[in-house]
């Protein structure tokens, strides 16, 4: 370990001053980060927040001095414990990497070597930096694995990464970062690839370890709720620049930059619905690095834009007078920050009509053969959906919530006809369709049940123009008498999803993520769909775009009286837009009710945990912390009895191990509110709300 | 694992049956048989004589029946004629009374070669032995050098080392054996051209040429001087190909996130390559190397003919050139088995290298 004796703990651990980073391509120099400054003190957690492409990961990699061949630091300095990293040689850097600065990555599976055991990858760190012997290093690895609260460390160190679950892999990556007790930990979206309940566990662990080892952190995330949870200080980035920095409380409550404000207004909170706090999308698009405007980068999208001042010249960071709180806005002193939101036209709740879709006792089982390559092995049954029963009415939004592997996508596939049901019934307008695969369905059945997919980047044909793809859908659905009529209808559909008509001739690659998703929506509504299954339609999009796409979906729903089945893992957005919520766990519907019923006690224990795991970007909210142990059991080998019993914190309240023996029956608590739980009415009545507002 | 092996074995047998039937059908086309009759009997046979010769020698039966006899699942034909009883399983050593009913490849009877006038099994056994040595040395030279070349080139994509090594690899793959073999002979094994006359003049070599232009003597005694050129000729061609594959796989692995993880752990570049990248990078080329075995058979045909080395390829050429049906059929069986066995090894080896698809 190289410890610099001159470094004084009252000085910043990391001090970045006026850092500018550019990527050099054959065509031009692309500035990725401009004039970025921030300071991280010992034991402090600094959050870097911004949308994709804003340069937050570039800053992290610059601290590691790992910008690749094309990236270069063109100005400024990065001082770590008083030493300038920008002028260090490879050998010096190597001594710092992994021992004094360690990094935790977004995708744990990809960042672990698939061909090395976990123990070997962990033990390597102290062997390199401290010259530890192999056996000592493995002993330390085992101890750290236990430290990150993984069960059975002896087995884990001998395992290969693919034998662990996503959450366990991320814990290993964290363990690897902690092997040499670094002074600075860089976390690059450490939980984005994980489920919310797993995320809550990881975040807890990171916070606790930060305290235990006194590690400073640079926490990169696009999730404001997480940053509020983990960090002391915050730096908001927009298009390569830091636009606002300060301590977390101040930035959240007394923001002094229009972008920060717009960002907060565009994210849904699980404490509010669409009527009490409407989302406000940020107009326009994120500027490309070589198309940045003059002056303030946020200018063209800003409500407070003033020509002649905001676009006059470079805007510098200005001190707002708070606790090291600065904003890159020329007008921050003049704007009335407490002005209430301009009243957006309040939307009446769409009246709910007749039942259009009804599922009765739907089951979907898959048979999988044992091991893949060498055949053999016993046949196993994956119970993807178990006794699914519900109704959906015209004009209603039914949200289906659950973590990965809960069977929500399988359910969508069965409904769409991509798979046929194992048993049970699906009625669409009293016509049962559970056994009809999509290729045998009538054209109007197909066109009336459509889907909006999660990833707009993969679902459009890259070699067909946008207009052509929509017309193709119209042709398949038999809409329009001739080509001219279909063309006209296609333009109408583009209007419907608020895309300019010129987009008809564009290729998908010329569109941004949000625009692509709009095309996906246009395609889904091409045949006047009655039921639209939206499978995580906004989770791949940036927050500022999410609001706009969500609003669009709801507006079309109001106009067409469509039934929207909204599949999501994001409870905030579910709370915001849905009328009823269905919570799924391991193929079972554990709770079903109106949004208010599901979001307030009594809860199903899983719903309670799910709610508590959602990070909320609101300082006024007090949340009960319920962290679930372990991972979701495999659907191939579900626990006996109640599917949730392995992780349930209420299990002890049910006498004589009933939870382990029997699948709980469906109980109706109030009109339209049902849960699948053994807990007695008295216990359920005592449940406290997970989310409460602070008294003001 | 056992189930897997059994299934693969079943598929192998099925494929072998189909392929040999195709070869059997093509070599037993009527014009081919007539040619056989004239070359075995007499060149001046009339058409009637040809027909009766074919009938006498069992070729008049339906194709499927004869295929069955060749396989050994149908009883061999017998014809009683003027010279007594003749038949498939009857020859001068085994009289009609002692002859077995079945004599096909299942019984180990591969037939008689019409070119060499000796049993096919004997010829093929010797030829395979000779080719085995050639293949072994080719692999010993080719695989390590190709992997080294690929790894060195792929380690730093776009660097000068990469560009130079890639050019070498492309050049060797772009030069077929019949070109490189001739070039090598001219340069190293000619008494009048290349480097040999100069070396001989200076008295550095004993004979008139540095390498020997023929590998016939290597049948009995392999030396560097008589075996070097054929080995290099085959190895060079395959080496470029494997090196390209290894390089592609290596460059991909080097951009993987876990390599970044390793780098940012402070691992030395050398250790990043050896400990973290190598095993992952070798998974894909392993399959290619295994596929290279049957491909080598190709090169072996050319090189053995060129260097007059009497191995499998040379025998195949002789058989094909002289309409030796039994020999050709046997060669095709050998080729099919070589292809399928290497496939099997490649699948198993792949699973061993890649922990993600271990046998559970």
């Amino acid at each position: 370990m190289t410890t610099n004796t001159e470094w004084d703990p009252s000085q910043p651990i990391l001090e970045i001053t006026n850092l500018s980073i550019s990527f050099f391509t054959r065509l031009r120099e692309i500035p990725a980060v401009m004039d970025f400054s921030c300071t991280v003190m010992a034991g402090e957690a600094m959050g870097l927040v911004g949308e994709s492409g804003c340069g937050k990961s570039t800053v992290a990699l610059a601290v590691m001095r790992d910008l690749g061949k094309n990236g270069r630091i063109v100005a400024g300095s990065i001082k770590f414990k008083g030493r300038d990293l920008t002028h260090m040689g490879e050998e010096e850097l190597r001594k710092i990497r992994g021992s004094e600065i360690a990094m935790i990555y977004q995708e744990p599976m990809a960042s672990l070597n698939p061909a090395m055991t976990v123990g070997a990858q962990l033990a390597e760190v102290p062997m390199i930096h401290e010259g530890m012997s192999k056996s000592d290093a493995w002993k330390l690895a085992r101890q750290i694995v236990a430290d990150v609260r993984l069960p059975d460390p002896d087995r884990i160190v001998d395992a290969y990464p693919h034998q662990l679950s996503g959450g366990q892999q991320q814990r290993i990556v964290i363990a690897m970062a902690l092997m040499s007790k670094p002074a600075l930990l860089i976390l690059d979206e450490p939980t984005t690839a994980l489920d919310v309940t797993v995320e809550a566990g990881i975040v807890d662990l990171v916070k606790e370890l930060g305290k235990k080892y006194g590690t400073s952190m640079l926490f990169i995330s696009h999730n404001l709720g997480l940053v509020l949870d983990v960090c002391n200080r915050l730096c908001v980035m927009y298009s390569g620049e830091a636009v606002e920095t300060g301590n977390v409380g101040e930035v959240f409550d007394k923001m002094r930059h229009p972008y920060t404000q717009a960002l907060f207004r565009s994210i849904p909170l699980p404490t509010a619905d669409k009527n009490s706090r409407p989302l406000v999308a940020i107009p326009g698009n994120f500027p490309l690095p070589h198309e940045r405007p003059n002056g303030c980068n946020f200018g063209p999208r800003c409500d407070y834009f003033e020509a002649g001042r905001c676009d006059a010249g470079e805007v510098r960071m200005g001190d707002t007078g708070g606790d090291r709180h600065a904003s890159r806005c020329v007008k921050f002193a003049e704007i009335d920050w407490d002005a209430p939101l301009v009243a957006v036209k309040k939307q009446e709740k769409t009246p709910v009509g007749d039942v259009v879709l009804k599922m009765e006792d739907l089951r979907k089982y898959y048979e999988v053969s044992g091991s893949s390559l060498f055949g053999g092995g016993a046949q196993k049954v994956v119970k993807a959906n178990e006794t699914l029963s519900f109704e959906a009415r015209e004009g209603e939004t039914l949200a289906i919530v659950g973590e990965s592997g809960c069977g929500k996508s399988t359910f969508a596939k069965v409904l769409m006809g991509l798979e046929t049901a194992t048993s049970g019934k699906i009625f669409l307008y009293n016509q049962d369709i559970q056994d009809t695969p999509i290729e045998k369905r009538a054209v109007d059945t197909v066109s009336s049940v459509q889907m909006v997919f999660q990833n707009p980047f993969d679902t459009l044909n890259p070699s067909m123009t946008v207009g052509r793809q929509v017309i193709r859908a119209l042709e398949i659905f038999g809409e329009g008498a001739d080509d001219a009529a279909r063309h006209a209808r296609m333009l109408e559909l583009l209007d419907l999803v608020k895309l300019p008509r010129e987009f008809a001739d564009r290729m998908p690659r010329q569109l941004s993520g949000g625009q692509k998703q709009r095309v996906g929506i246009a395609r889904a509504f091409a045949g006047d769909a009655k039921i639209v299954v939206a499978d995580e339609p906004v989770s791949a999009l940036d927050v500022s775009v999410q609001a706009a796409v969500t609003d669009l979906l709801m507006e079309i729903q109001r106009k067409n009286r469509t039934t929207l089945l909204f599949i999501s893992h994001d409870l905030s957005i579910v709370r915001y837009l849905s009328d009823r919520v269905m919570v799924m766990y391991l193929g079972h519907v554990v709770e079903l009710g109106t949004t208010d019923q599901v979001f307030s006690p009594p809860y199903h224990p899983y719903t309670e945990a799910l709610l508590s795991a959602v990070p909320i970007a609101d300082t006024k909210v007090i949340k009960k912390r319920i962290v679930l142990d372990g991972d979701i059991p495999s659907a191939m080998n579900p626990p006996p009895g109640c599917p949730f019993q392995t992780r349930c914190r209420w299990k002890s309240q049910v006498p004589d191990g009933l939870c382990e023996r029997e699948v709980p029956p469906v109980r109706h608590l109030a009109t339209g509110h049902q849960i699948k739980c053994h807990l007695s009415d008295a216990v359920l009545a005592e449940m406290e709300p997970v989310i409460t507002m602070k008294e003001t | 694992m056992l189930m897997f092996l059994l299934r693969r074995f079943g598929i192998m047998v099925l494929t072998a049956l189909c392929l040999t039937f195709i070869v059997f059908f093509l070599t037993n086309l009527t014009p081919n048989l007539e040619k056989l009759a004239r070359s075995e009997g007499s060149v001046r046979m009339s058409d009637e004589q040809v027909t009766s010769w074919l009938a006498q020698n069992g070729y008049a039966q339906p194709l499927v029946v004869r295929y069955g006899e060749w396989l050994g699942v149908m009883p061999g034909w017998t014809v009683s004629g003027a010279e007594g009883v003749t038949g498939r399983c009857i020859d001068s050593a085994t009289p009609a009374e002692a002859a077995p009913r079945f004599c096909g490849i299942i019984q180990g009877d591969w037939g008689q070669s019409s070119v060499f006038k000796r049993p096919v099994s004997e010829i093929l056994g010797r030829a395979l032995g000779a080719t085995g040595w050639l293949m072994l040395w080719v692999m010993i030279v080719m695989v390590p050098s190709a992997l080294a070349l690929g790894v060195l080139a792929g380690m730093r994509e776009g660097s000068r080392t990469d560009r130079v090594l890639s050019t070498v690899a492309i050049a060797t793959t772009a030069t077929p054996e019949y070109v490189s073999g001739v070039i090598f002979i001219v340069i190293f094994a000619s008494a009048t051209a290349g480097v040999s006359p100069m070396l001989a003049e200076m008295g550095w070599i004993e004979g008139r040429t540095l390498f020997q232009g023929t590998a016939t003597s290597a049948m009995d005694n392999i030396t560097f001087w008589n075996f070097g050129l054929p080995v290099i000729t085959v190895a060079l061609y395959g080496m470029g190909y494997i090196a390209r594959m290894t390089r592609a796989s290596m460059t991909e692995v080097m951009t993987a996130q876990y390599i970044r993880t390793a780098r940012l752990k402070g691992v030395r570049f050398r250790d990043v390559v050896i400990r973290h990248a190598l095993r992952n990078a070798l998974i894909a080329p392993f399959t290619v190397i295994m596929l290279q075995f049957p491909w080598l058979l190709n090169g072996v045909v050319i090189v053995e003919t060129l260097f007059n080395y009497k191995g499998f390829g040379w025998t195949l050429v002789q058989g094909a050139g002289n309409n030796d049906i039994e020999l050709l059929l046997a060669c095709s069986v050998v080729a099919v088995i070589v292809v399928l066995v290497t496939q099997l090894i490649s699948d198993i080896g792949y699973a061993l290298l890649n922990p993600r698809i271990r046998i559970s």
Side-chain angles (χ1 to χ4, degrees), chain B residues 58-284:
Chain B
Y59 289 107
Q61 304 166 86
L63 185 78
V64 182
V65 175
R66 279 188 291 128
Y67 181 67
E69 289 174 4
W70 175 76
L71 269 185
V73 292
M74 303 218 357
W77 53 269
T78 47
V79 177
S80 335
E83 303 117 58
V85 183
T86 57
R88 183 182 162 81
C89 309
I90 301 164
D91 56 27
S92 48
T94 42
E97 305 79 51
R101 238 161 74 74
F102 297 94
C103 54
I105 52 168
I106 293 177
Q107 284 78 27
D109 190 341
W110 293 73
Q112 189 81 3
S113 162
S114 60
V115 187
F116 300 103
K117 308 287 178 210
R118 263 181 305 168
V120 168
S121 47
E122 182 193 323
I123 297 165
L124 212 57
R126 216 176 43 219
L128 280 177
T131 299
W133 280 109
L134 182 60
M135 296 262 253
L136 178 71
W137 280 106
V138 166
M139 283 292 165
I140 290 174
V141 172
M142 181 174 76
V143 175
S145 54
L147 292 182
L149 211 66
V151 168
L152 284 175
M155 214 159 64
R156 293 186 203 265
E157 191 183 4
S159 65
R160 186 178 302 171
T161 329
D162 177 24
R163 283 198 297 259
V164 169
L165 292 181
S166 294
T167 311
V168 171
I170 293 171
T172 61
T173 337
T175 318
E177 288 98 342
Y178 51 84
V179 176
S180 53
V182 171
I183 293 176
F184 283 135
I185 289 176
V186 169
I187 295 179
F188 298 110
S190 161
T192 53
V195 294
S196 306
M198 286 183 263
L199 292 173
E201 212 167 283
M202 286 185 273
W204 287 8
I205 48 173
E206 281 177 23
R208 292 175 56 218
T209 59
L210 179 60
F211 282 92
Q212 287 173 29
T214 147
T216 319
S217 59
M219 294 289 290
D220 309 313
N221 178 27
I222 294 174
T223 67
F224 178 68
W225 303 110
N226 64 20
F227 218 44
L229 286 187
V231 167
I232 279 292
T233 309
V234 184
L236 262 190
Y237 185 58
M239 186 183 77
Y241 188 64
I242 298 177
R244 292 293 294 167
M245 287 294 163
T246 317
R247 178 193 169 271
S249 163
M250 188 73 188
T251 52
E252 198 193 311
V253 167
M254 286 307 282
T255 58
Q257 287 195 27
Y258 54 82
I259 295 299
R260 186 183 70 183
T261 310
R263 211 168 47 225
L264 297 188
K265 270 199 285 199
V267 182
R268 248 182 225 98
F269 183 75
R270 202 191 59 213
D271 291 334
V272 169
V273 172
I274 295 172
R275 286 176 52 88
H276 290 265
L278 208 56
R279 180 165 166 191
N280 289 298
L282 288 186
I283 293 171

Side-chain angles (χ1 to χ4, degrees), chain A residues 605-626:
Chain A
Y606 177 62
T607 317
E608 184 192 30
L610 209 54
L611 270 173
S612 126
V614 182
I616 304 170
D618 191 340
T619 49
K620 292 188 285 298
V621 163
I622 307 168
K623 215 169 52 173
K624 207 154 58 169
R625 202 89 189 126
I626 302 160

Side-chain angles (χ1 to χ4, degrees), chain A residues 376-541:
Chain A
Q379 287 267 313
K380 282 184 176 167
V381 176
V382 175
K383 297 178 178 174
N385 284 152
E386 277 271 30
T387 58
L388 220 61
S389 304
F390 68 91
E391 295 171 352
R393 291 167 183 275
E394 189 184 54
E396 183 186 47
T397 308
L398 174 66
I400 299 158
V401 178
E403 295 174 276
S404 51
C406 74
K408 53 192 198 296
S409 296
T410 306
F411 149 78
K413 278 185 197 160
V414 175
L415 175 61
M416 297 297 298
L418 297 171
E419 305 267 359
T420 50
T422 308
S423 73
K425 294 240 182 292
I426 306 175
F427 293 104
L428 179 70
Y429 294 116
N430 296 325
Q431 178 193 1
D432 53 340
I433 55 168
Q434 71 279 359
D435 295 325
T436 330
I438 192 151
E439 53 274 19
K440 289 197 187 132
R441 287 189 181 179
V443 172
D444 61 313
T445 315
V446 174
S447 67
S448 63
V449 185
Q450 278 297 303
M451 193 156 174
V452 176
F453 299 93
Q454 176 170 13
N455 194 341
F457 302 91
D458 298 341
T459 44
L460 294 181
N461 186 336
S463 55
M464 229 193 233
T465 62
V466 167
R468 185 74 207 115
Q469 307 204 26
V470 177
I471 290 177
R472 186 80 197 109
L474 290 170
E475 281 169 5
I476 292 168
F477 298 151
E479 296 276 322
D482 51 22
D483 283 354
R486 278 193 284 269
H487 193 259
R489 175 87 184 111
M490 179 269 290
L491 292 177
E492 278 172 40
L493 281 168
L494 288 186
D495 293 344
L496 179 74
V497 296
K498 298 200 176 116
L499 283 175
R501 289 191 168 197
E502 306 89 83
F503 273 45
D505 298 321
R506 300 242 177 124
M507 290 310 232
R509 63 169 181 275
Q510 295 169 291
L511 272 54
S512 70
Q515 288 165 342
K516 280 184 200 169
Q517 194 58 295
R518 283 165 193 267
V519 177
I521 294 171
R523 196 165 56 175
F525 281 94
D528 279 326
K530 292 286 162 250
I531 298 171
V532 168
V533 182
D535 188 0
E536 309 247 9
V538 295
S539 64
L541 306 175

Side-chain angles (χ1 to χ4, degrees), chain A residues 66 69 94 97-98 105 110-116 121 124-125 128-129 160 162 176 371 373-374, chain B residues 1 4 7 157 257-258 260-261 263-268 275-276 279-280 351 355-360:
Chain A
D66 192 57
K69 263 181 292 191
R94 208 174 58 66
R97 288 173 182 166
Y105 313 87
S111 15
L112 290 172
N113 191 333
M116 272 170 92
Q121 297 188 51
E124 201 178 34
V125 180
I128 298 166
H129 293 294
Y160 284 96
H162 67 98
M176 193 148 74
S371 65
L373 181 67
F374 292 104
Chain B
M1 182 70 188
F4 168 74
R7 209 164 49 217
E157 191 183 4
Q257 287 195 27
Y258 54 82
R260 186 183 70 183
T261 310
R263 211 168 47 225
L264 297 188
K265 270 199 285 199
V267 182
R268 248 182 225 98
R275 286 176 52 88
H276 290 265
R279 180 165 166 191
N280 289 298
R356 269 171 291 189
I357 39 174
R358 277 280 158 77
I359 312 143
S360 51

Side-chain angles (χ1 to χ4, degrees), chain A residues 227-258:
Chain A
V227 170
L228 174 64
D229 215 9
V230 178
C231 302
N232 321 102
R233 295 187 59 79
L234 168 68
C235 176
V236 182
M237 289 188 76
Y238 181 78
S239 193
E241 289 178 331
V243 292
E244 184 165 4
T245 170
N247 77 41
V248 166
E250 243 172 75
V251 176
F252 271 62
D253 294 335
K254 285 186 237 144
M255 58 203 64
R256 285 295 174 266
H257 194 280

Side-chain angles (χ1 to χ4, degrees), chain A residues 546-572:
Chain A
Q546 279 185 7
V549 174
T550 315
D551 272 346
L552 174 73
L553 266 176
M554 290 195 303
E555 202 183 309
I556 299 177
Q557 181 188 28
R558 268 195 299 275
K559 210 180 283 173
N560 295 13
R561 298 190 50 73
T562 320
T563 306
L564 199 59
L565 296 182
F566 192 88
I567 300 178
S568 182
H569 68 275
D570 184 350
L571 285 173
S572 309

